[in-house]
Each structure stands twice: as structure tokens, then as C-alpha cells.
């Protein structure tokens, strides 16, 4: 298992794996609900939409797939420029940010590209939305950047002293951003 997440209500778990599968589980008894196949390589990231109705997955096959969490039905799939390293739904669930060789900002209902944040072909290794959904944080190389979600404009850059943060999270009030790296 390469990625795992509880649904917002805690009733389901989604897992992505090295065996190319995405699985939905009942968290109360561990029973498999759906096996969401279709990826052709390692699934690196999975995420639930904030309402728990949609599951996103992405990985080394350069695709992002959205499935209906109740039925397992594929909503859309999209091939991107590079392998998917991180993904995040906006707090309102309308936008899906997908980190790869840049950051693709997608309409979470249709998969249509809103815009792409270019990062000079460096892979973004982690992303996170601020609690108000107005700012997207992304980390690559030795920098963490903040972008305006409405238009993709760069708001701020933070230099780091070590490796890129593999995990990013905003505090509930949105005033603090924390990143964790292996070094």
C-alpha cells in the first residue's frame, strides 16, 4: 500500500497500491467494497473529496482517475504530463490539484483543466489547500511555494535548507504551513 485515507465520515477507507489497484474498504469490518482497477502502474496517491462521494487516484502511469465512492463507477480519467506525486481536493470539493511535472488544477466534477502551474519541469512532491481554499501550497526541489487558487499566480516562495517536503499541511486557521521531509 502506497497511500491510504479515511473518508470524511470515517465509514470508508481508500487505499492505493504498488499492485496498480485502488480499493475501497468498509472501515467498521475491513470488508472490500470496491476494487477500482484501471491504473497501469503504481498508484502513488488517493484522496476522498470533502463530501466523501468521490475518490481520486493517481500514480506512475501519469493518469488521474475519479470514481464514485458509492458505486465504484469511473467518473473520468485524464492523462497528464508526468507521474502523479500528490493530489488534493479544495475544501469545497470543486477543484482538484494534481502534482506532477507542475500542478494541474482541474474541475473536480468534469476533469477539465482550469490551468496549470508551471514549475520548470521539476516534480512537485506535495501539495495542500489552505482551509479557505484560496491558497495552494506546493513543494519541489528545496522550495515551497504558495499560489493563488483563483488564477495560479505565485504569492510567496519559502526556501528550505534540506530536501523537498514530502508532506504539507495547513493549520486549521490557515496561518501556519508545516512540511515534513526525510532530511
Amino acid at each position: 500500500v502506497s497511500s491510504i485515507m479515511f473518508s470524511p465520515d470515517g465509514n470508508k477507507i481508500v487505499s492505493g497500491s504498488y499492485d496498480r489497484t485502488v480499493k475501497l474498504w468498509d472501515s467498521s469490518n475491513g470488508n472490500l467494497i470496491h476494487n477500482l482497477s484501471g491504473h497501469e502502474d503504481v498508484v502513488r496517491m488517493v484522496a476522498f473529496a470533502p463530501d466523501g462521494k468521490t475518490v481520486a487516484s493517481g500514480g506512475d502511469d501519469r493518469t488521474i482517475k475519479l470514481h464514485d465512492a458509492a458505486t465504484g463507477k469511473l467518473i473520468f480519467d485524464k492523462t497528464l504530463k508526468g507521474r502523479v506525486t500528490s493530489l488534493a481536493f479544495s475544501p469545497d470539493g470543486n477543484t482538484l490539484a494534481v502534482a506532477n511535472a507542475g500542478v494541474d488544477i482541474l474541475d473536480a466534477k468534469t476533469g477539465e483543466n482550469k490551468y496549470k502551474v508551471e514549475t520548470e519541469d521539476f516534480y512537485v512532491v506535495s501539495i495542500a489547500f489552505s482551509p479557505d481554499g484560496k491558497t495552494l501550497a506546493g513543494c519541489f526541489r528545496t522550495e515551497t511555494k504558495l499560489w493563488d487558487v483563483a488564477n495560479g499566480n505565485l504569492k510567496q516562495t519559502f526556501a528550505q535548507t534540506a530536501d523537498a517536503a514530502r508532506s504539507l499541511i495547513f493549520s486549521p486557521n490557515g496561518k501556519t504551513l508545516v512540511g515534513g521531509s526525510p532530511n
Side-chain angles (χ1 to χ4, degrees):
V1 173
S2 56
S3 182
I4 192 163
M5 184 180 200
F6 274 99
S7 62
D9 64 7
N11 292 329
K12 294 178 183 169
I13 297 170
V14 62
S15 64
S17 300
Y18 289 95
D19 68 0
R20 306 175 185 173
T21 62
V22 177
K23 296 182 180 185
L24 279 172
W25 308 89
D26 184 318
S27 64
S28 67
N29 58 25
N31 289 337
L32 181 65
I33 299 170
H34 296 294
N35 187 5
L36 308 173
S37 60
H39 282 283
E40 296 178 5
D41 207 335
V42 173
V43 177
R44 296 276 175 200
M45 296 300 301
V46 293
F48 272 101
D51 64 6
K53 295 180 180 179
T54 307
V55 173
S57 61
D60 289 0
D61 63 358
R62 301 179 311 136
T63 64
I64 183 79
K65 297 183 185 302
L66 261 68
H67 287 89
D68 182 293
T71 66
K73 179 183 174 197
L74 181 67
I75 298 169
F76 72 79
D77 67 350
K78 187 173 196 76
T79 301
L80 302 172
K81 184 176 178 181
R83 63 184 171 88
V84 176
T85 55
S86 186
L87 49 88
F89 281 96
S90 61
D92 66 7
N94 292 326
T95 302
L96 179 64
V98 184
N100 56 82
V103 181
D104 287 281
I105 306 299
L106 308 177
D107 180 299
K109 308 296 183 221
T110 66
E112 295 295 318
N113 274 67
K114 293 183 177 184
Y115 59 86
K116 182 173 183 83
V117 175
E118 297 295 340
T119 57
E120 303 148 23
D121 288 330
F122 288 97
Y123 274 84
V124 177
V125 295
S126 57
I127 53 176
F129 278 96
S130 61
D132 65 6
K134 294 180 180 178
T135 301
L136 180 69
C139 188
F140 65 102
R141 293 187 303 187
T142 59
E143 299 176 332
T144 298
K145 295 184 180 276
L146 301 180
W147 296 283
D148 185 319
V149 172
N151 53 29
N153 290 339
L154 181 65
K155 293 170 95 173
Q156 192 168 1
T157 299
F158 301 101
Q160 294 175 189
T161 58
D163 196 12
R166 303 281 189 234
S167 181
L168 290 172
I169 189 168
F170 278 93
S171 63
N173 67 6
K175 293 184 179 186
T176 304
L177 175 67
V178 177
S181 72
N183 296 324

